[in-house]
Amino acid sequence: MAAEPEFDLVIRGERIMTTAGIAAREVGVLDGTIRAMEPLGNGLRGRRSIELAADETLIPGLVDTHVHVNEPGRTEWEGFASATRAAAAGGVTTILDMPLNSIPPTVNVPALEEKRAAALDQAFVDVGFWGGAVPGNLGDLRPLHDEGVFGFKCFLLHSGVDEFPPLDADEMEKDMAELKGFDSLMIVHAEDSRAIERAPHAEGDQYARFLASRPRGAENVAIAEVIERARWTGARAHILHLSSSDALPMLASAKRDGVRITVETCPHYLTLLAEEIPNGATAFKCCPPIREASNRELLWQGLEDGVIDCIVSDHSPSTLDLKDLENGDFGVAWGGVASLQLGLSLIWTEGRRRGLALEQVVDWMSRKPAQLAGMSHKGQLALGFDADFSIFAADESFVVDAKRLKHKNPITPYDGKVLSGVVRKTFLRGGEIDGEVPAGRLLRRGAA
């Protein structure tokens, strides 16, 4: 009689997050892939075995499709080593890097090759790349697609960096029509430049003044443009970092009409409140901005209703001096929230308060972003999927200390906040991520 197969790793526990819910299971990993999921007690044999503690849940690795790594060119803001260490510490096993804030931006194949060269041999989690859609690079979109980018990002107003200029709506439509030809995805920073230009300016340390400088109407107008251009072209479109709950009804209507549109939001819009942001606290500055309590409630409802598809970080860090901490001037400070390591705990802390199950929270942060990016082997604990997962202690709490986070610059609006849920260990293709030996791979669309 042949011996039972031996796995590289077996994990046993009462709380394994399967596609059918949390259950007592044994998980067998071989060659980086989940090859067995059997009832607890079946006695799978592995070269290494882990027994989950009573307070631990095995969850799929999170997929964060919105991360600004900034290397090369602005590596002092963040880099692949620091960003992917932070990701792993937060249970994130796959990130997609945004095409801007690095120099050069990822708007042609040579720039993509430069980005990949920078990431190679220093990524602790798997890393894929978005391409950029900017004026004049229509002819670069198909070559970038063929080289494996997961889709294309554009802005409808100034991006914050001059080397990544915005498209107007007509240019976006032309690019969408091009992308439709090979079924790629246009992801859009949707704020209308004209509405922003007519809004009050943000100078000074008053958060209310900054909030007024990025009105909901600027988002609403831009999102309406994206919906109609997607409708006319038949292309796939995705709304980045939704903060205006006003836009939810028209997004719901567009989805009912069959427009191919998806939507994300971010932990800062779901956990922070404009009413509680101190004046001068530029760690909270991001664009679009953190809005009021009533807006936040509607965003949560949009998630539960399925209008918002997923939750991703929009980790957009900078150096401390760019946050203008000394003066606290919202008109001067860089706009971006650093939260890559904290997303799961943030959303779980808020979600459980609302009576949501851990399975739902993880689904929004793992399966749904993987689905958005077309990653068919990521985001679930299921047979044939990559053995990417973390051991999560849902009831353990901790106090955020910005100086102890793994990302490069010690600033986050969550400093001092008490959160529930601790990631105790994270695994990539069955290997524990130790923060010392980078084992992340560079992903290509279609092969991830």
Side-chain angles (χ1 to χ4, degrees):
M1 181 182 291
E4 288 184 40
E6 186 175 71
F7 296 96
D8 298 324
L9 172 68
V10 172
I11 299 183
R12 299 181 179 86
E14 296 285 344
R15 297 181 55 81
I16 306 286
M17 190 176 289
T18 73
T19 55
I22 293 174
R25 291 287 184 270
E26 300 185 359
V27 180
V29 176
L30 186 64
D31 297 330
T33 302
I34 297 172
R35 296 289 179 87
M37 292 190 72
E38 299 190 6
L40 186 62
N42 274 23
L44 296 180
R45 294 191 309 118
R47 283 180 276 280
R48 182 186 178 198
S49 64
I50 295 173
E51 308 278 343
L52 296 183
D55 67 337
E56 293 177 338
T57 305
L58 190 73
I59 66 171
L62 304 189
V63 176
D64 193 337
T65 55
H66 195 150
V67 180
H68 295 266
V69 178
N70 306 334
E71 186 176 9
R74 291 191 174 95
T75 311
E76 69 275 14
W77 295 20
E78 192 68 277
F80 284 103
S82 53
T84 56
R85 275 196 191 95
V92 177
T93 51
T94 303
I95 66 169
L96 291 191
D97 175 58
M98 283 292 163
L100 72 157
N101 299 349
S102 57
I103 302 173
T106 317
V107 295
N108 52 46
V109 170
L112 174 64
E113 289 171 348
E114 201 167 329
K115 182 79 72 86
R116 282 183 169 145
L120 192 66
D121 298 329
Q122 58 168 336
F124 291 92
V125 303
D126 285 354
V127 179
F129 302 93
W130 295 108
V134 296
N137 84 326
L138 180 68
D140 292 297
L141 303 183
R142 183 61 191 255
L144 279 164
H145 174 80
D146 291 343
E147 275 299 308
V149 301
F150 285 81
F152 296 87
K153 180 178 188 176
C154 73
F155 279 74
L156 292 176
L157 80 172
H158 193 279
S159 69
V161 291
D162 292 339
E163 66 272 6
F164 198 93
L167 302 177
D168 63 32
D170 290 339
E171 290 171 323
M172 178 179 68
E173 183 182 343
K174 286 177 184 171
D175 283 2
M176 281 182 167
E178 173 75 4
L179 299 187
K180 171 67 164 57
F182 41 93
D183 199 33
S184 190
L185 175 68
M186 180 68 87
I187 65 175
V188 186
H189 182 122
E191 288 182 285
D192 181 74
S193 60
R194 296 158 301 177
I196 299 290
E197 286 164 8
R198 294 183 179 222
H201 294 294
E203 294 91 353
D205 67 354
Q206 303 291 304
Y207 185 77
R209 185 178 176 92
F210 169 64
L211 184 59
S213 77
R214 314 289 292 215
R216 295 190 204 191
E219 266 191 279
N220 303 336
V221 169
I223 289 169
E225 284 278 19
V226 176
I227 289 170
E228 294 315 307
R229 307 298 172 129
R231 190 193 308 274
W232 300 342
T233 60
R236 292 191 294 136
H238 177 72
I239 302 297
L240 297 166
H241 46 50
L242 179 71
S243 86
S244 171
S245 62
D246 295 350
L248 290 168
M250 63 176 161
L251 286 162
S253 175
K255 288 186 169 197
R256 285 194 299 271
D257 288 349
V259 177
R260 302 167 75 199
I261 195 157
T262 49
V263 189
E264 70 183 43
T265 193
C266 307
H268 36 283
Y269 302 127
L270 296 167
T271 63
L272 300 174
L273 300 173
E275 294 92 335
E276 295 178 354
I277 296 175
N279 290 332
T282 52
F284 291 82
K285 179 182 175 180
C286 56
C287 300
I290 295 154
R291 303 193 187 277
E292 306 84 352
S294 57
N295 184 81
R296 182 180 76 171
E297 295 309 301
L298 290 169
L299 291 178
W300 276 102
Q301 191 61 54
L303 276 162
E304 294 188 56
D305 291 344
V307 181
I308 301 173
D309 297 275
C310 57
I311 304 171
V312 292
S313 70
D314 189 12
H315 177 68
S316 184
S318 71
T319 56
L320 297 183
D321 61 304
L322 285 173
K323 276 294 190 181
D324 194 42
L325 300 176
E326 189 174 331
N327 302 310
D329 188 333
F330 284 99
V332 171
W334 175 258
V337 167
S339 64
L340 179 55
Q341 186 172 334
L342 300 172
L344 175 58
S345 299
L346 287 164
I347 296 302
W348 171 233
T349 301
E350 185 66 28
R352 77 188 306 188
R353 189 175 72 77
R354 296 167 178 275
L356 294 170
L358 180 60
E359 298 98 300
Q360 176 63 83
V361 166
V362 171
D363 193 62
W364 283 325
M365 304 184 80
S366 58
R367 183 180 69 86
K368 288 296 197 67
Q371 188 178 63
L372 168 74
M375 296 181 184
S376 58
H377 300 291
K378 301 285 190 185
Q380 297 181 67
L381 292 184
L383 294 179
F385 277 66
D386 288 353
D388 302 345
F389 37 71
S390 68
I391 296 173
F392 186 61
D395 296 326
E396 186 177 343
S397 61
F398 68 102
V399 178
V400 178
D401 180 350
K403 293 183 174 61
R404 298 184 66 185
L405 296 176
K406 305 287 188 186
H407 64 247
K408 185 162 285 188
N409 288 284
I411 181 170
T412 178
Y414 303 107
D415 193 33
K417 193 176 181 74
V418 179
L419 299 179
S420 296
V422 171
V423 173
R424 291 184 176 162
K425 291 180 179 177
T426 301
F427 297 79
L428 184 69
R429 282 182 295 279
E432 186 175 343
I433 300 173
D434 61 5
E436 299 293 331
V437 180
R441 295 178 183 171
L442 304 188
L443 304 178
R444 293 171 183 260
R445 174 200 43 78

